[in-house]
């Protein structure tokens, strides 16, 4: 028998009632249309795509909240109906009969009740508008404009309620305020654009953005940065106490936000430090701050300064070796590489249980203006190298060895650059050795090159001594400790006495004869061993030390330019020798690199007397005569005078 229309309507009605009961008990919207991303346990934050029309607040509630409200409402209605219609049934009937018999008192009561209700409603409304005035101003002036600007980049539906994803407190411009913006989990938007919109629309300055993109909840928080102090002078008692309490391996760099102390542990965190700043960015102040603290604890400091005047406080201090000429810097870097290899052998012999201090004192190498220094080293090596020498200077290789082995050997490099490109440092792998980087007055390109993991880049400032210390994937705005030159000298000399420089003699660049497996032998030309020349008298200045602190006395203008040579072995002055042999046996005060440099640049350098293969040979007498009469200057010393 065919189903009648009435039966179909009954079935549809029963089905609708069943679905309605299911939606009621499940806490879902009664119309069956899901308009937000709310679930049974979690409240909604945004409208679903393709939803049109106005979305009520109840659509954002979690399902369990809707169910609780519905059951509570039904229970309240049922209890009220039961109380009025069943328990007080007789009283209700009697009251209705009295009102029917005499309605005037009832009408008066209703009138008074209505006036009271209207007055209460008016007062409540006025109080509500008064209490929510600031909140409504916040919505009108800041929240809604920000919502309109973010809706398109975040691709939000038009019905999205801004109050559901923009959590902006009323005092959002205060120091302790936290702004939170919920973003879509699909992450198909530009973070740079979102950051710029939030910054500009809320007129924010000095804030940091923290992105939380993992998991179900994706949002960004905005906090105002508490600035470091305007100045951190060493003469302030609190600052001096902080420096005095610092560890020997962790010099204080400066004071960060909220008064936090910013340090770097050379043993545990970063063996080397990179300082990248443009002219006037405080590079010398930063190096002075760290170096004087290291000297205070008994470290040795080597200053390789092609500018010659970057650190006038340092020359003459115990434990400081100051190199200004490119030849000195070249030789000193080779000597430091030899010292690194010596320490490697010592550490190997001591074993893993030995005290790290047993391998030698801590060494700090201040490499100033690496961009200019590397170019000068390349030109210097180009002029002094011979055909059998490698194309790359051994000084570059020696420094690279220190980069890779510095932490275990207690050798640390403090490198300064105006632009720390991979080309200037010797390759991108060298730059990765600097896990602590100090940036000041940087450009956007410099930040992206040295700290690409930190986004967005904090705005650079021209505040004197203000830097960003990047370490461990975070940037800390820091006010560098300021030592005057007198304070730096005083602090460097009042701590632990510095040990003698490695292989040093007074007033000389500390060079040692390299071991058989050293880098110098790797690029040297083998020469036959000859007996050393006899030592000149002590009062004789013919072979005066090329690195001496005191210049040799000038020759008498009226006398001859040459004088009697010292006694030597028979026929020793007549033999033809190479530059290496001359440096080792005839001119012990002059290095091979200095001879090569003089051959390329000094017009008075002797002419070759012979040739052995590709090596040029010179008369020993001619070389000694040139050494006596060449211009003398105090190079490679630790004194400016």
């Amino acid at each position: 028998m065919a189903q009648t229309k009435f039966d179909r309507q009954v079935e549809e009605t029963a089905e609708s009632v069943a679905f309605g009961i299911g939606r009621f008990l499940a806490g879902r919207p009664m119309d069956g249309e899901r308009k937000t991303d709310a679930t049974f346990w979690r409240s909604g934050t945004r409208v679903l795509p393709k939803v049109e029309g106005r979305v009520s607040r109840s659509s954002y509630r979690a399902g369990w909240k809707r169910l609780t409200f519905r059951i509570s409402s039904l229970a309240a209605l049922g209890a009220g109906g039961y109380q009025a219609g069943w328990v007080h049934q007789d009283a209700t009937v009697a009251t209705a009969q009295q009102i029917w018999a005499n309605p005037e008192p009832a009408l008066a009561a209703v009138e008074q009740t209505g006036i009271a209700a209207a007055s209460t409603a008016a007062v409540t409304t006025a109080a509500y508008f008064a209490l929510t005035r600031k909140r409504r101003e916040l919505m009108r002036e800041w929240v809604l404009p920000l919502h309109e600007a973010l809706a398109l980049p975040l691709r939000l539906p038009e019905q999205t309620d801004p109050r559901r994803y923009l959590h902006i407190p009323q005092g959002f411009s205060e120091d302790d305020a936290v702004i939170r913006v919920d973003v879509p989990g699909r992450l198909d938007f530009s973070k740079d654009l979102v950051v710029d919109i939030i910054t500009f629309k809320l007129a924010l300055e000095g804030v940091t953005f923290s992105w939380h993109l993992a998991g179900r909840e994706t949002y960004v928080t905005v906090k105002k940065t508490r600035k470091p102090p305007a100045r951190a002078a060493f003469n302030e008692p609190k600052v001096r106490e902080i420096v005095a309490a610092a560890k020997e391996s962790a010099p204080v760099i400066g004071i960060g936000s909220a008064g936090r102390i910013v340090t770097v542990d050379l043993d545990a965190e970063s063996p080397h430090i990179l300082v990248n700043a443009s002219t006037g960015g405080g590079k010398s102040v930063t190096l002075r701050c760290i170096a004087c603290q290291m000297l205070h604890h008994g470290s040795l400091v080597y200053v390789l300064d092609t500018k010659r005047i970057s650190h006038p406080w340092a020359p003459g201090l115990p434990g400081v070796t100051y190199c200004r000429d490119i030849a000195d810097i070249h030789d000193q870097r080779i000597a430091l590489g030899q010292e690194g290899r010596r320490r490697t052998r010592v550490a190997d012999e001591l074993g893993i249980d030995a005290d790290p201090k047993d391998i030698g004192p801590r060494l700090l190498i201040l490499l100033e203006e690496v961009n200019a220094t590397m170019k000068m080293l390349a030109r210097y090596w180009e002029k002094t190298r011979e055909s059998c020498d490698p194309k790359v200077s051994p000084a570059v290789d020696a420094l690279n060895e220190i980069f890779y082995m510095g932490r275990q050997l207690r050798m640390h490099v403090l490198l300064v650059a105006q632009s720390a490109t991979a080309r200037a440092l010797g390759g991108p792998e060298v730059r990765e050795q600097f896990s602590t980087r100090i940036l000041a007055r940087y450009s956007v390109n410099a930040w992206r090159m040295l700290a690409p993991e930190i986004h967005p880049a904090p705005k650079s400032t021209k505040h004197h001594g203000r830097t960003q210390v990047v370490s461990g994937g975070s940037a800390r705005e820091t006010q560098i400790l300021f030592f005057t030159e007198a304070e730096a000298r005083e602090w460097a000399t009042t701590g632990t006495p510095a040990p003698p420089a490695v292989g040093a003699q007074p007033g000389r660049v500390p060079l040692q004869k390299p071991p058989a497996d050293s880098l110098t032998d790797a690029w040297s030309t083998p020469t036959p061993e000859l007996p050393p020349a006899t030592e000149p008298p002590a009062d004789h200045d013919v072979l005066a030390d090329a690195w001496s602190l005191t210049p040799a006395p000038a020759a008498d203008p009226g006398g001859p330019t040459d004088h009697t040579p010292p006694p030597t072995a028979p026929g020793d002055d007549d033999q033809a020798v190479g530059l290496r042999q001359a440096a080792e046996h005839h001119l012990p005060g002059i290095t091979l690199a200095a001879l090569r440099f003089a051959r390329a640049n000094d017009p008075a350098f002797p002419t070759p007397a012979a040739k052995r293969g590709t090596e040029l040979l010179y008369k020993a007498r001619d070389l000694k005569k040139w050494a006596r009469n060449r211009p003398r200057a105090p190079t490679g010393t630790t004194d400016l005078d």
Side-chain angles (χ1 to χ4, degrees):
M1 184 176 181
Q3 190 178 27
T4 63
K5 182 178 180 180
F6 176 77
D7 294 336
R8 288 195 301 270
Q9 291 179 349
V10 171
E11 290 181 0
E12 292 175 359
T13 303
E15 185 178 358
S16 300
V17 171
F19 279 117
I21 294 174
R23 297 188 193 107
F24 181 90
L25 296 177
R28 296 174 57 187
M30 295 304 297
D31 58 2
E33 182 180 0
R34 188 165 173 258
K35 298 180 180 180
T36 66
D37 60 345
T39 62
F40 185 81
W41 297 109
R42 182 172 59 89
S43 300
T45 57
R46 61 183 62 88
V47 179
L48 296 177
K50 300 181 180 180
V51 174
E52 299 180 356
R54 183 179 178 277
V55 178
S56 62
R57 290 189 180 184
S58 62
S59 299
Y60 291 94
R61 295 195 185 103
W64 68 271
K65 292 182 179 180
R66 294 198 196 100
L67 179 59
T68 303
F69 177 78
R70 292 169 183 174
I71 294 177
S72 301
S73 300
L74 287 179
L77 290 175
Y82 174 80
Q83 184 74 13
W86 183 260
V87 176
H88 302 286
Q89 181 178 4
D90 296 337
T92 302
V93 173
T95 302
Q97 291 177 354
Q98 293 176 2
I99 293 174
W100 182 261
N102 188 12
E104 292 182 1
L107 293 176
V110 170
E111 183 179 358
Q112 293 177 0
T113 303
I115 294 174
S119 301
T120 303
V123 172
T124 304
T125 303
Y128 172 80
F129 278 100
L131 295 175
T132 60
R133 179 178 59 84
K134 293 184 178 180
R135 183 64 186 174
R136 287 184 287 108
E137 289 179 355
L138 176 68
M139 289 291 298
R140 182 178 64 253
E141 300 294 335
W142 302 103
V143 178
L144 290 178
L146 179 60
H147 165 67
E148 293 173 356
L150 287 176
L152 183 60
L154 296 180
R155 295 198 298 171
L156 300 176
E158 296 181 0
Q159 298 79 15
T160 301
D161 189 349
R163 292 170 294 188
R164 299 298 173 179
Y165 77 100
L166 296 178
H167 310 285
I168 303 175
Q170 293 183 8
F172 66 88
S173 59
E174 298 176 358
D175 292 342
D176 297 332
V178 179
I179 301 172
R180 169 171 165 164
V181 178
D182 297 332
V183 297
R186 57 182 182 271
L187 303 181
D188 56 349
F189 54 86
S190 171
K191 292 196 293 185
D192 291 341
L193 181 57
V194 172
V195 166
D196 292 340
I197 291 175
I198 295 174
T199 303
F200 293 141
K201 297 301 290 184
L202 297 182
L204 300 174
E205 292 184 2
V207 294
T208 58
F209 290 79
S210 300
W211 292 87
H212 303 267
L213 304 178
R216 184 175 59 185
E217 295 186 359
T218 54
Y219 58 92
V220 56
T221 57
V222 187
K223 296 181 181 179
K224 199 160 187 177
T225 305
R226 297 180 64 183
K227 295 291 184 182
R231 193 169 182 267
F234 177 70
N235 57 11
E236 297 178 7
K238 291 184 178 180
V239 176
R240 194 180 184 99
E241 291 177 3
I242 292 172
V243 175
K247 293 170 53 179
E248 178 267 340
S249 62
V252 179
I253 298 177
I255 308 299
S257 60
R260 295 185 179 90
I261 303 172
V262 179
T263 64
V264 54
D265 196 322
L266 300 176
D267 289 339
E269 297 177 359
S270 174
H272 312 299
I273 302 174
L274 170 63
V275 180
N276 187 94
S278 60
T279 303
K283 300 186 292 292
S284 298
V285 173
T286 304
L287 267 63
R288 183 166 68 215
C289 165
I290 298 175
C292 72
Q293 295 182 67
M294 301 294 290
L295 288 168
H296 180 80
H297 291 288
S299 300
L300 297 177
V301 175
Y302 294 82
V303 184
L304 312 183
D305 180 20
T306 55
K307 265 173 55 174
R308 310 180 69 88
I309 57 174
S310 298
H311 303 281
W313 64 275
L317 290 179
V320 174
T321 302
Y322 208 115
C323 302
R324 300 179 181 84
D325 294 325
I326 195 63
D328 296 353
I329 294 174
H330 180 274
D331 294 342
Q332 185 65 78
R333 286 171 62 161
I334 294 177
L336 290 169
Q338 297 168 8
E339 172 64 13
R341 288 187 290 276
R342 184 197 70 81
R343 292 189 174 204
T344 301
R345 291 191 293 270
V346 172
D348 187 28
E349 294 173 358
L350 292 176
I352 60 175
D353 296 330
D355 188 351
K357 296 181 181 179
D358 293 341
I359 67 172
R362 192 181 298 276
L363 303 183
L364 181 66
I365 305 168
L366 270 61
L367 185 54
E368 276 279 0
E369 301 297 348
V370 70
N371 298 91
T373 301
M374 296 299 286
K375 293 179 181 178
M376 295 173 68
L377 279 174
R379 288 195 298 268
Y380 173 80
W381 181 244
E382 204 173 296
K383 293 181 178 180
T384 58
R385 67 180 291 269
E386 295 183 349
S387 58
C388 58
D389 294 334
K391 292 185 178 180
V392 179
S393 169
V396 176
D397 293 336
L399 188 64
N400 288 343
E401 290 183 9
I402 297 174
F403 283 144
Y404 297 130
M405 300 184 297
R407 185 175 64 83
Q408 293 87 348
L409 305 182
R410 291 164 58 84
M411 300 177 69
H412 314 284
V413 177
L414 189 52
L415 186 144
V416 179
Q418 289 191 357
S419 180
T421 60
R423 180 179 179 182
L425 300 182
E429 66 280 359
V430 175
R431 191 167 58 195
E432 293 303 317
Q433 302 304 315
F434 297 92
S435 55
T436 296
R437 303 168 183 182
I438 303 175
L439 290 85
R441 296 193 181 182
Y442 47 85
S443 63
V444 176
N445 290 335
W447 184 270
R448 290 176 179 173
M449 176 178 60
L450 297 176
E453 70 278 9
I454 301 175
H455 183 84
K459 186 178 180 181
S460 180
T461 177
K462 294 183 179 180
H463 186 94
H464 290 292
R466 188 63 54 86
T467 64
Q468 293 286 344
V469 179
V470 180
S471 179
S474 62
R476 293 170 289 178
E477 188 174 7
T478 304
Q479 183 68 27
I480 298 296
L481 293 187
F482 179 75
F483 288 78
T484 64
E485 294 182 359
E487 290 170 348
R489 291 182 69 90
E490 179 264 335
W491 189 251
T493 55
T494 54
T496 305
V502 179
Q505 298 180 10
R508 296 187 59 180
V509 175
L511 295 176
Q512 292 180 328
K513 182 175 180 59
D517 60 345
S518 70
L519 188 63
T520 306
D521 283 350
W523 56 266
S524 63
T525 304
T527 56
E529 290 290 336
L530 295 177
T534 57
E535 292 288 334
D539 58 347
H540 193 61
D541 65 342
V542 175
L543 298 180
D545 195 342
W547 315 112
S548 175
L549 280 168
T550 306
D556 185 2
T561 58
D562 195 3
H563 44 78
T564 305
T568 58
D572 187 42
D573 285 351
D574 294 329
Q575 64 176 329
V577 296
L579 293 185
R580 183 176 298 280
Q581 184 178 350
E584 293 178 353
H585 303 290
H586 298 275
L587 306 175
I590 305 178
T591 63
L592 174 61
L595 287 175
R596 290 177 174 176
F597 186 76
R599 179 180 63 185
N601 297 275
D602 190 354
F605 197 79
T607 57
K611 195 173 184 180
R612 182 170 56 208
T614 59
E615 183 182 13
L616 298 177
L617 305 179
Y618 302 83
K619 289 288 187 180
R621 179 185 294 108
D622 296 340
L623 292 174
K624 291 180 180 180
K625 181 179 178 180
W626 167 82
R628 292 193 299 270
N629 299 321
R630 76 191 191 282
R632 310 292 180 87
T635 60
T637 68
T638 58
D639 195 356
L640 285 174
D641 298 328

